[in-house]
Amino acid sequence: MNAGIHGGLLRRHRDFRLLWCGETTGKFGTAVTGVAMPLVAVSTLHAGTFEVSLLSAAAWLPWLIIGLPVGAWVDRMRRRPIMLAADVVSLLLFASVPVASWLGWLSIGQLLTVALLAGTAAVFFQTAYTAYLPGLLEPADRPEGNAKLHGSASAAQIVGLGAGGLLAQLAGAVSAIFANAGTFLVSFLCLLGMRHREPRATEAERPPKALVKEVRAGLGLVARDPWFRTLTLFGAFSNLALTGYQSIQVVFLVREVGLSSGAVGGLIAVASTGGVVGAFAARRVAARMGTARAMLLFQLGFPVFALLIPLTTGGAGLAFYVLGGLAVSGGVVAGNVIKSGFQQAYCPPALFGRLAASSAFLNYGAIPLGAILGGVLGTALGVRPAMWITTAGVPLAALILYFSPIRRCRDLPTAPRPENASPARESGVALSRS
C-alpha cells in the first residue's frame, strides 16, 4: 500500500463511506437500545434480574437456531438486498415498542418478542455484512477498512450508551428505543445509495441435501483448521463470560451501586472509550509485535482488569468500573480488528458466508447462554457475587489462545496450509489468498 492510498479510504471510496455511515449509525442505535431496553424492564415494568437477563438472551438466541443455515443461504444470494430487508424489519420492530407504550399495551412479553425477532434480523444482516465487506474493498484496503469500521463502531457505541441513559433520564427509557428505530432508517438509506453491485449468484441445480452439505463444509472449515478452531472456541467462551456480566450490569449499577438511569448510561459510555483506542492501536501494535503476539496482548493481558468491575461502589469507587471497562473494551475491539483482517486474508471468498455463520453459531450462540447464566447466578447468589464469577471468566477464556499455536508464532498466517484445505475442496472451491 503506498502513501497516497494509506489513510484516505473514507475520502476516495464512496460506497465504503456510505457503508461506514450506515454501520456507525446502526451501532449507535444498538447501543442506545442496549441501555434503554433493560431500563424499560427495570424501571417501567419492574422486571426481576432473571427477566432482564432474558432480554439479552432473546436477542442472541437466533444465532443458535438459524445461524448455520443462514450462512449457506447468504453464500447463495446477493448480500446487499439481505441487509436492506433486515434493516426494514428491525425498524418496524423497534418502532412497535414506543407505540405499544403510548397505547398502554407494553409488557415484558413484547420486549422479549421484539428482542427475539430483531435478533433474527441481525443474524441475516451480520452474516451478509461480514461476507459483503471483502468484496467491496481491495485486499490492500481491508486493514484500514477494518480499523475504521471497528473504531467508529466503538465511538458510536460510546455516544449511544451515554445518549441512551440521558434520553431515558430526560424523556423516558421507552422514548430512547424510538431513536434506535430511526437509525435503521439511516442504515437502509445508506445501503440503498451504494453503487457497488455484486455479481448475480449462479443458479446451478443443487442436489438433494445440498444445504446440509454446505453447512457441513462451513463447520468443517472451522473444526479442521487450527486457527479458525482456536479463535472460534475462544470467542465462544469469551462471549459467555462477557455477556454473563453485561446482561446484569444495569441491575448491578442501579440496585447495588445506586446510580440513576442517566448516570448508568454515562458510566458505561466512559468505560467503553477503550474500544476506540483499541481499534486504532490494533494495526500499529500488530505491525510492531506481530499479529499473533498482539492478539495475546489484547485478549489475555488487558481483560485481567475485568476483575476490578465487581469492586465498584458509589463515589470514588466508580473508578473501578471505568478502569475495568476501559481495559476490557480496548482488548476486545483491538482483538476483533486483528481477527477480521486475518479471516479476510485466510478464508476462501466463496466460503465467507459459511465461515461467518459457523463461527458465529458458536461465538454468538454462547451469548444467550451467558445472559441466562448471569441471570441465574444473580438470582441465586446475588448480583455482586454473580459479577465476580462472570468477570473472572473473561481472562480465563483467553487461556485458550495461550495454549494454542498462536503462542508459538509472531504472526497469524495469511493463507492456509494444504492439509487444512479439505473443507473448501468438499464444496468445489480452491483455497487461495483473498
Side-chain angles (χ1 to χ4, degrees):
M1 186 184 299
N2 60 46
I5 292 177
H6 180 74
L9 190 57
L10 283 174
R11 292 193 301 272
R12 60 186 166 78
H13 200 309
R14 176 184 178 275
D15 282 345
F16 176 78
R17 187 164 59 248
L18 285 171
L19 181 69
W20 173 84
C21 179
E23 181 67 3
T24 301
T25 305
K27 294 298 184 185
F28 169 82
T30 300
V32 169
T33 299
V35 173
M37 193 83 89
L39 285 174
V40 170
V42 171
S43 303
T44 304
L45 301 177
H46 307 291
T49 301
F50 184 70
E51 289 177 311
V52 175
S53 72
L54 284 180
L55 287 173
S56 296
W60 295 96
L61 184 61
W63 285 102
L64 280 174
I65 300 174
I66 62 170
L68 290 176
V70 166
W73 293 331
V74 164
D75 278 338
R76 296 180 180 183
M77 298 180 285
R78 292 179 175 177
R79 284 74 183 254
R80 179 170 162 271
I82 296 174
M83 293 189 286
L84 288 168
D87 275 341
V88 172
V89 171
S90 300
L91 187 159
L92 295 174
L93 285 168
F94 284 109
S96 73
V97 174
V99 170
S101 178
W102 297 334
L103 296 174
W105 297 342
L106 186 62
S107 66
I108 191 67
Q110 181 181 351
L111 290 184
L112 289 170
T113 301
V114 168
L116 181 65
L117 295 180
T120 301
V123 172
F124 282 92
F125 185 96
Q126 187 62 40
T127 304
Y129 168 80
T130 303
Y132 181 79
L133 182 61
L136 180 68
L137 298 178
E138 294 295 328
D141 284 330
R142 290 172 191 165
E144 181 187 347
N146 289 329
K148 281 185 165 57
L149 285 167
H150 282 286
S152 61
S154 295
Q157 181 184 39
I158 293 163
V159 177
L161 290 169
L166 183 62
L167 284 171
Q169 186 80 9
L170 298 178
V174 172
S175 298
I177 294 177
F178 192 74
N180 192 21
T183 63
F184 283 105
L185 177 60
V186 174
S187 177
F188 175 84
L189 293 175
C190 288
L191 287 171
L192 197 63
M194 294 177 67
R195 296 170 183 165
H196 173 72
R197 296 294 182 268
E198 303 164 272
R200 186 177 298 276
T202 56
E203 297 294 337
E205 182 178 350
R206 299 185 183 275
K209 298 184 179 180
L211 179 62
V212 174
K213 293 180 180 177
E214 291 173 9
V215 169
R216 188 182 300 139
L219 286 173
L221 184 63
V222 171
R224 298 175 191 176
D225 186 281
W227 307 98
F228 288 143
R229 182 172 63 245
T230 296
L231 291 173
T232 300
L233 287 174
F234 161 69
F237 282 98
S238 179
N239 282 340
L240 187 75
L242 285 168
T243 313
Y245 85 79
Q246 290 172 353
S247 67
I248 58 174
Q249 67 179 351
V250 170
V251 179
F252 172 68
L253 293 172
V254 171
R255 294 179 179 167
E256 294 287 325
V257 182
L259 299 183
S260 66
S261 297
V264 167
L267 186 67
I268 296 175
V270 171
S272 299
T273 56
V276 177
V277 178
F280 291 105
R283 282 198 297 161
R284 292 181 180 274
V285 175
R288 183 179 295 272
M289 297 180 58
T291 52
R293 293 175 183 174
M295 178 73 76
L296 285 176
L297 171 65
F298 287 124
Q299 303 286 37
L300 178 59
F302 281 37
V304 169
F305 293 94
L307 291 170
L308 294 175
I309 294 175
L311 294 171
T312 304
T313 58
L318 296 177
F320 288 117
Y321 184 91
V322 172
L323 292 174
L326 285 171
V328 172
S329 61
V332 167
V333 173
N336 285 341
V337 171
I338 297 171
K339 178 182 175 182
S340 296
F342 160 71
Q343 289 180 331
Q344 291 165 4
Y346 189 81
C347 179
L351 285 177
F352 276 132
R354 273 163 280 181
L355 170 67
S358 298
S359 58
F361 173 72
L362 292 173
N363 288 348
Y364 295 160
I367 291 179
L369 302 180
I372 292 173
L373 175 65
V376 169
L377 291 174
T379 302
L381 304 177
V383 177
R384 195 177 293 271
M387 292 290 286
W388 274 111
I389 294 170
T390 50
T391 53
V394 178
L396 288 175
L399 293 178
I400 294 173
L401 299 179
Y402 185 77
F403 294 107
S404 77
I406 292 176
R407 181 168 61 95
R408 298 191 295 271
C409 59
R410 182 183 189 277
D411 288 290
L412 297 169
T414 56
R417 297 173 63 180
E419 61 266 29
N420 296 327
S422 55
R425 286 200 294 267
E426 290 177 8
S427 61
V429 180
L431 282 172
S432 63
R433 184 175 177 177
S434 60

